Amino acid sequence: MSEQVHTELSSLWQAQTVNDIDMAAVKQGFMSQRKKQRLYMAVDIGAFIPALFLLYHFWSELSFTVKAVNLTVGVIALPLLIYQLWLRRVAAFSRNVSTLDHLDVLTKQIKNNVRIAIITKHSTWISMVLVMLTMALQYVVDDVSTSKLSFMFGVLAATAFIMGVWYVWAAKREQRFRRQLDGLKTMRSSQY
């Protein structure tokens, strides 16, 4: 009886289909990630530099409250920028020759993309808190006219809309990267 079970299991094992890894697709995905990560690095740096320039240019016109909040945001944003650049480096500067290396790098970068999406998602509500804090401090500390107060509420409404869209976008990216990571893990496990 055990010989028959062994034969049946052996037949079942040999009848299973093997999922071939599309190495061309893996290489294509790696090359795409490299280009995207380099572009995102340029955008990340490019967005930070004009903000510093505008802050420098309009520094004398800003109230103490706005200066204090902007300095706080800068102190928080610079390490986050450096961290995001560090997370993007895996695909952006990796030069591999074997397709297996492409799979390794792609898996690492997708993990990092999940982290970046999480940072982006949470930065939206943190930005909203900072905008509301800035406005509240300006209202309490600075003498705010009625016209400036209505302008501030307009800015708050626009920021809330933009941050809401950005939050949804980042959450969907996080989910998509998690699905890609699961797919790559499945691909890797079927390889062995």
Side-chain angles (χ1 to χ4, degrees):
M1 187 71 161
S2 68
E3 182 65 35
Q4 181 184 5
V5 170
H6 177 65
T7 304
E8 288 176 10
L9 286 175
S10 180
S11 297
L12 180 63
W13 177 75
Q14 298 214 2
Q16 289 183 350
T17 59
V18 176
N19 295 333
D20 290 333
I21 297 174
D22 186 356
M23 291 303 191
V26 171
K27 188 171 183 179
Q28 173 70 25
F30 171 77
M31 298 306 273
S32 173
Q33 273 297 317
R34 176 184 286 165
K35 290 176 186 174
K36 286 178 186 176
Q37 295 307 323
R38 288 179 179 177
L39 176 66
Y40 290 146
M41 289 175 94
V43 168
D44 288 346
I45 293 169
F48 200 75
I49 291 172
L52 290 176
F53 173 76
L54 288 173
L55 196 59
Y56 173 76
H57 185 71
F58 292 108
W59 187 257
S60 61
E61 298 173 29
L62 300 176
S63 70
F64 172 77
T65 305
V66 174
K67 286 179 184 177
V69 171
N70 277 303
L71 285 175
T72 303
V73 168
V75 167
I76 294 168
L78 186 59
L80 277 175
L81 171 65
I82 292 167
Y83 180 61
Q84 281 190 314
L85 293 174
W86 183 78
L87 289 173
R88 294 188 191 285
R89 87 199 183 293
V90 174
F93 301 111
S94 185
R95 298 192 188 271
N96 297 313
V97 290
S98 77
T99 308
L100 184 57
D101 288 338
H102 294 310
L103 185 59
D104 288 339
V105 170
L106 191 58
T107 302
K108 287 176 189 173
Q109 188 59 56
I110 297 297
K111 283 180 186 177
N112 287 347
N113 287 351
V114 170
R115 291 180 184 119
I116 291 168
I118 290 169
I119 291 169
T120 303
K121 183 175 71 174
H122 290 295
S123 72
T124 60
W125 67 265
I126 292 170
S127 296
M128 278 307 302
V129 168
L130 287 172
V131 167
M132 289 187 293
L133 176 68
T134 302
M135 290 181 176
L137 285 172
Q138 263 191 306
Y139 182 76
V140 171
V141 175
D142 302 332
D143 188 21
V144 179
S145 66
T146 307
S147 63
K148 188 168 183 176
L149 193 59
S150 59
F151 174 76
M152 288 169 53
F153 281 120
V155 168
L156 182 62
T159 304
F161 176 75
I162 292 168
M163 291 300 126
V165 170
W166 195 2
Y167 181 91
V168 170
W169 174 76
K172 287 184 178 190
R173 284 179 61 85
E174 179 187 357
Q175 291 170 355
R176 181 171 58 96
F177 290 137
R178 287 188 189 279
R179 283 191 306 273
Q180 286 178 347
L181 188 58
D182 290 342
L184 287 171
K185 286 178 180 177
T186 301
M187 186 184 291
R188 180 170 287 290
S189 67
S190 70
Q191 183 182 11
Y192 298 110

